Amino acid sequence: MKLIIAEKPDQGLKLAAPFSPKKRDGYVEIPPQAMFPDGALLTWAVGHLCELLSPEEYDPSWKRWSLQTLPILPDRFQHKVSKSKWKQFKIVKELIHKREVNEIIMAGDAEREGEAIIRIILTVAKCNKPLKRLWISSLTPKAVQNGFENLLEEKQTRSIYHEALSRSCADWLIGMNASRAYTLLLQQKGVSDVFSTGRVQTPTLALIVKRELEIENFQSKPFWEVLATFNMDGKMYKGKWHKDGECRLEDPELAKKIVQFCKGKEVRIDTIEKERKEFLPPFLFNLSSLQATANSMYKFSPQKTLEIAQKLYVKGIISYPRSDSSFVTKEEASMFPETLQKLSQFSAFKEYFPLPFHSVLNNKRVVNDKKVTDHYAIIPTEQVKDPSKMSPEEEKIYSLIVKRLIAAHYDKAIFDYTTIHTLVEERATFLSKGKEEVQAGWRKVIYGNKKEKESDEEEQDLPSLQDGEKGFVHEVKVKDGKTQPPKRYTEGQLITVMKTAGKHLEDGELTKVLNKTEGLGTEATRAGIIGVLKDRKYIEVRKNQVFATNKGKLLIQSIGPSILASPEMTAKWEQRLHEIGEGKASAEEFMEQAKKLSLKLIDDAQKQSTEWSFEGMDLSEFKRERGGRRGRASVGSKVGKCMKCDGEVVDKGTFYGCSNYSKTQCNFTISKKILGKSISATNAKKLLSGGRTDEIKGFKKGEKVFNAALEWKDERVQFVFEK
């Protein structure tokens, strides 16, 4: 009999669905049938059933945060069962050791993390039975059955387990050592807070802080432009004065003189330049591009988009969402006509059919077997669903994915761009720009009848004009303006910035590496990294714009030129991890290098701390008061049990946070101020013990003031309104 171990309960039930399973407590039984002649058992993890040991479980002296106990370098990394998940682990372990079970099928998500989750459970449970691997990219009955018919040998995916394990252990080393080093050294400067660092989160924060400082240090300068309207025998168009390609004037008096010179004067069209541009359909979605698009269109956070996509995947109607590829193989492309024919029956998509191209099999922008590694692009499966019968959020994400596939079967979009140079009295030159859509092509699918937001607001619909045509200045005026600072990143743009972090490096070789390894983080982890930065109070997101907090700026200023804040470390790190995943590099050698790097980061921090100067920064929120405590005497006191793990939630000053953060990186927090209202320790205790506070009066959102209780639900704090 075979035992199948899935990564999550909902995924496990989907895998069992085609085989008439009988549900039991924590697992299901699959009766004997053609696929499983002796029947099968299917159970599941609940995400990470096992976790790395905390520092003090290796060495009791590591419990105390002290520079003297650094570095923290375990001889051998070990895992333990998470206390809150013992029940499910016990079920899995008992099934593994059942006498009749003679083979284990690892059925975690088909990627590195899914591989590690299942293999670590097998290691902790001391499994020594033969292993096979289920590797699929969708959960439709057809894909599931095909996957079980074509199981991989265990050795085929062993190297990506070594890659995932190396990544998590090395990240643990960097996080534990650098976080303690900077926290303790900042405490010596009177800064009272816990500062978390990480191989990916810190370079990401550095990019955000860099943009924040650019905005803060930006000095706006006034400028003036001269705008004119021309009349060519009744045909009107607008132009902007320019000289040597520059339209802005620093002298308002000069602008006024140009206006006086041009008033009512005769004009002649000097040149008309026309350029036709063609735009191919956009690539199919990978997770990053889906997150960026959903954020731009619907203001969905990257994490929210991932959660919605995961639900659609579990329902079997889209392929695996954590994909980093924008391509499919010929096998998937051959199924598109059948899927699209089904989609054409839904009113949401009817207008886009019939398609200009029936097949994309020979389109290399869509089909490229060499660019598909673990998974292909995110696409709708043949198990289509009418979006009108989905929740509004699921409808939006599903429709984005479907329309991207439909657009791939459309013609290119074509535009004619026109530039007109108009001379006033043969002396002053004005520039006019226009754009005309020649062929909508794929834009009909993506944008419908709506015009895409123009990249250049100066483009206009130009009348039919000829070289040498003459007329006069109908109107001319001065427009004043100010130079604008760089814009803050949106969450969607931040995902893209993380993915393209190689552009921020000057070293050409490292840039190539980062581009090859997809920048900072992976498709599966970027949204989580942004979440960690929020939870640690390094960034705030307001109206979809990402702001660096004082805490974030303080940490990055402290880290300074250390490699910890540079994409360089991630570039080298990811290159070696990629080689481990391909079986071309040694995990043991990599871990030795990670230990050496931990030592270097501690040394860097100690050297830099002697030169730290925070002049000009407001550190009042971090300063200790007499007696060593920051703010009220409640800081550090316990308020209840963590809602995510077995830790204690303690008062951290500006928020209530889990005491297990330093051990397990548990990111549970409750902000002390929500919509302008302070959350007392009493209400925090009620929330943690009973799941709900008393009604709190005076929350403010814009002009609206309201009363509500707070409730812990769906892994977050939510408002509850009295009837």
Side-chain angles (χ1 to χ4, degrees):
M1 177 182 282
K2 300 184 192 306
L3 170 64
I4 305 157
I5 307 178
E7 188 172 325
K8 307 177 197 75
D10 50 7
Q11 178 201 43
L13 294 175
K14 271 288 181 179
L15 293 174
F19 309 113
S20 306
K22 293 180 181 178
K23 196 166 183 182
R24 301 288 185 251
D25 185 17
Y27 69 101
V28 297
E29 292 179 356
I30 296 173
Q33 54 194 274
M35 185 72 72
F36 304 105
D38 299 321
L41 300 171
L42 188 150
T43 187
W44 44 78
V46 188
H48 293 266
L49 283 186
C50 303
E51 60 192 30
L52 285 165
L53 267 58
S54 58
E56 62 266 28
E57 290 173 295
Y58 293 108
D59 184 338
S61 68
W62 286 341
K63 184 173 184 177
R64 181 170 172 265
W65 282 46
S66 166
L67 289 170
Q68 284 68 46
T69 61
L70 297 181
I72 297 172
L73 302 174
D75 293 329
R76 184 174 64 87
F77 280 94
Q78 299 174 54
H79 290 82
K80 64 178 180 181
V81 180
S82 301
K83 284 187 179 179
S84 61
K85 299 178 180 179
W86 254 107
K87 180 183 175 183
Q88 187 59 24
F89 176 80
K90 188 178 178 183
I91 291 169
V92 176
K93 184 177 179 180
E94 287 176 356
L95 294 174
I96 288 171
H97 292 290
K98 265 185 173 287
R99 185 173 297 175
E100 55 267 41
V101 170
N102 53 23
E103 183 177 88
I104 311 290
I105 298 175
M106 300 180 290
D109 282 348
E111 42 87 38
R112 293 152 184 77
E113 194 64 22
E115 187 80 17
I117 286 172
I118 307 302
R119 285 191 186 253
I120 289 169
I121 291 170
L122 294 173
T123 300
V124 175
K126 295 182 169 56
C127 172
N128 56 9
K129 294 183 178 180
L131 306 176
K132 289 285 181 67
R133 181 62 157 111
L134 176 71
W135 195 275
I136 55 178
S137 287
S138 77
L139 290 173
T140 63
K142 184 177 179 181
V144 169
Q145 292 190 41
N146 186 55
F148 279 117
E149 288 170 0
N150 297 278
L151 293 170
L152 302 179
E153 295 297 324
E154 173 272 335
K155 63 182 179 182
Q156 290 178 261
T157 59
R158 193 185 305 158
S159 61
I160 66 167
Y161 163 62
H162 292 314
E163 176 185 345
L165 189 60
S166 298
R167 177 181 275 108
S168 65
C169 292
D171 282 348
W172 187 97
L173 280 176
I174 300 304
M176 290 297 175
N177 285 289
S179 297
R180 291 194 180 195
Y182 281 99
T183 296
L184 293 165
L185 289 165
L186 283 164
Q187 282 180 3
Q188 292 179 359
K189 301 291 183 181
V191 176
S192 177
D193 210 330
V194 176
F195 288 84
S196 148
T197 63
R199 177 182 61 91
V200 178
Q201 78 175 58
T202 304
T204 302
L205 177 61
L207 294 173
I208 299 167
V209 170
K210 180 174 181 284
R211 176 60 57 90
E212 192 75 33
L213 295 177
E214 287 171 351
I215 294 169
E216 288 179 6
N217 296 327
F218 183 82
Q219 293 185 339
S220 183
K221 295 181 180 179
F223 64 83
W224 291 264
E225 296 175 320
V226 178
L227 309 178
T229 302
F230 304 113
N231 186 329
M232 297 292 188
D233 195 21
K235 296 178 289 186
M236 313 287 281
Y237 67 99
K238 296 176 181 179
K240 182 183 289 187
W241 175 90
H242 82 114
K243 185 176 182 180
D244 300 326
E246 180 56 60
C247 296
R248 294 178 175 180
L249 292 159
E250 296 180 1
D251 181 0
E253 294 305 317
L254 178 57
K256 289 177 184 177
K257 288 179 182 178
I258 294 172
V259 168
Q260 290 302 318
F261 171 77
C262 292
K263 278 184 178 178
K265 295 290 175 57
E266 184 179 280
V267 301
R268 174 179 66 84
I269 294 177
D270 185 39
T271 58
I272 297 178
E273 302 163 1
K274 286 193 176 183
E275 182 183 11
R276 176 161 290 188
K277 291 185 179 180
E278 299 178 345
F279 300 90
L280 294 170
F283 290 107
L284 298 178
F285 281 124
N286 56 28
L287 179 57
S288 289
S289 59
L290 178 62
Q291 288 169 319
T293 302
N295 181 260
S296 173
M297 292 184 67
Y298 307 121
K299 303 296 185 287
F300 287 176
S301 71
Q303 185 61 37
K304 183 174 184 175
T305 298
L306 176 56
E307 288 169 359
I308 297 169
Q310 182 68 25
K311 289 178 184 176
L312 297 175
Y313 167 66
V314 170
K315 290 178 180 179
I317 56 180
I318 68 166
S319 60
Y320 187 67
R322 290 177 172 85
S323 174
D324 61 357
S325 177
S326 298
F327 301 89
V328 298
T329 64
K330 288 186 176 180
E331 183 181 355
E332 278 75 46
S334 65
M335 297 169 64
F336 286 167
E338 177 190 345
T339 302
L340 290 164
Q341 196 282 324
K342 293 177 183 177
L343 289 166
S344 70
Q345 306 305 305
F346 300 137
S347 58
F349 310 122
K350 265 185 180 178
E351 63 180 298
Y352 309 126
F353 293 86
L355 300 171
F357 298 104
H358 178 69
S359 172
V360 290
L361 269 173
N362 296 317
N363 184 343
K364 290 184 178 179
R365 284 178 62 83
V366 180
V367 184
N368 191 328
D369 290 44
K370 292 179 180 178
K371 292 190 177 181
V372 177
T373 51
D374 293 348
H375 296 281
Y376 45 80
I378 305 172
I379 56 174
T381 66
E382 72 276 10
Q383 192 172 300
V384 301
K385 187 173 180 180
D386 187 346
S388 67
K389 296 180 181 178
M390 299 178 181
S391 69
E393 291 179 346
E394 289 183 359
E395 177 187 7
K396 287 181 172 69
I397 297 300
Y398 185 65
S399 294
L400 282 179
I401 295 166
V402 169
K403 286 183 179 181
R404 189 61 71 100
L405 177 62
I406 293 173
H409 291 74
Y410 262 68
D411 291 297
K412 55 197 169 189
I414 302 175
F415 286 89
D416 277 345
Y417 291 83
T418 303
T419 302
I420 298 176
H421 294 267
T422 304
L423 285 175
V424 178
E425 290 288 313
E426 303 296 322
R427 287 177 61 187
T429 304
F430 283 74
L431 189 69
S432 306
K433 291 183 177 182
K435 182 174 81 169
E436 180 185 359
E437 183 180 88
V438 178
Q439 176 175 290
W442 58 268
R443 290 171 57 86
K444 172 188 173 184
V445 181
I446 302 297
Y447 300 111
N449 295 323
K450 296 179 183 177
K451 281 196 172 184
E452 182 188 10
K453 187 178 179 182
E454 302 292 0
S455 58
D456 187 346
E457 60 182 17
E458 296 166 6
E459 288 175 347
Q460 58 186 300
D461 293 328
L462 293 167
S464 177
L465 299 164
Q466 304 294 324
D467 280 350
E469 198 166 339
K470 294 183 178 181
F472 63 92
V473 176
H474 175 77
E475 183 184 8
V476 62
K477 61 182 180 179
V478 175
K479 179 184 176 183
D480 62 345
K482 290 183 178 179
T483 55
Q484 297 298 312
K487 291 184 178 180
R488 287 185 170 83
Y489 299 122
T490 65
E491 284 194 84
Q493 289 168 341
L494 187 53
I495 287 284
T496 304
V497 168
M498 292 174 74
K499 191 178 177 73
T500 58
K503 292 180 180 178
H504 297 268
L505 292 180
E506 296 178 3
D507 188 318
E509 286 304 310
L510 290 176
T511 299
K512 290 178 184 177
V513 171
L514 258 182
N515 288 337
K516 183 179 179 182
T517 56
E518 300 293 347
L520 295 169
T522 65
E523 298 294 323
T525 62
R526 289 187 191 109
I529 292 296
I530 295 173
V532 167
L533 293 175
K534 290 181 193 175
D535 292 340
R536 293 299 107 204
K537 311 301 179 187
Y538 290 141
I539 64 171
E540 292 176 350
V541 179
R542 303 198 294 268
K543 295 183 178 179
N544 200 35
Q545 290 188 309
V546 180
F547 292 75
T549 64
N550 284 339
K551 183 176 180 180
K553 289 185 280 188
L554 176 60
L555 177 62
I556 295 305
Q557 183 171 327
S558 303
I559 290 171
S562 170
I563 193 173
L564 180 61
S566 167
E568 179 184 351
M569 179 173 71
T570 289
K572 293 178 177 177
W573 200 298
E574 290 297 341
Q575 181 181 38
R576 187 52 54 88
L577 285 167
H578 189 68
E579 291 168 355
I580 292 171
E582 292 180 331
K584 297 177 181 176
S586 163
E588 290 77 12
E589 289 179 10
F590 173 78
M591 288 306 302
E592 286 304 312
Q593 291 299 315
K595 289 179 179 180
K596 290 178 182 178
L597 179 59
S598 298
L599 288 167
K600 174 174 169 46
L601 293 176
I602 294 168
D603 187 51
D604 285 350
Q606 290 177 320
K607 287 177 180 175
Q608 288 160 359
S609 68
T610 61
E611 300 175 4
W612 283 345
S613 172
F614 304 123
E615 189 176 344
M617 291 190 72
D618 180 9
L619 302 181
S620 58
E621 62 185 287
F622 308 112
K623 285 290 182 183
R624 294 173 183 268
E625 292 190 352
R626 195 179 302 174
R629 291 196 180 278
R630 174 172 47 112
R632 297 203 315 251
S634 62
V635 174
S637 61
K638 297 178 182 178
V639 292
K641 285 286 185 183
C642 179
M643 306 293 272
K644 287 189 176 182
C645 72
D646 62 329
E648 295 284 350
V649 174
V650 298
D651 190 325
K652 296 278 189 177
T654 58
F655 65 97
Y656 305 105
C658 181
S659 61
N660 272 347
Y661 175 73
S662 61
K663 300 177 186 177
T664 65
Q665 306 289 299
C666 177
N667 60 7
F668 177 80
T669 58
I670 303 170
S671 177
K672 273 197 175 180
K673 186 163 280 192
I674 298 175
L675 294 186
K677 190 68 181 175
S678 296
I679 309 304
S680 67
T682 300
N683 270 319
K685 288 175 182 177
K686 288 181 178 180
L687 181 65
L688 294 169
S689 60
R692 183 169 173 171
T693 69
D694 295 333
E695 185 179 59
I696 301 171
K697 296 181 179 180
F699 290 109
K700 292 181 181 179
K701 187 172 184 181
E703 298 297 318
K704 183 180 178 184
V705 179
F706 62 92
N707 305 332
L710 298 177
E711 181 180 50
W712 176 259
K713 187 177 180 183
D714 297 332
E715 297 292 305
R716 63 192 178 96
V717 176
Q718 299 189 27
F719 290 112
V720 179
F721 299 95
E722 298 295 335
K723 291 183 180 179

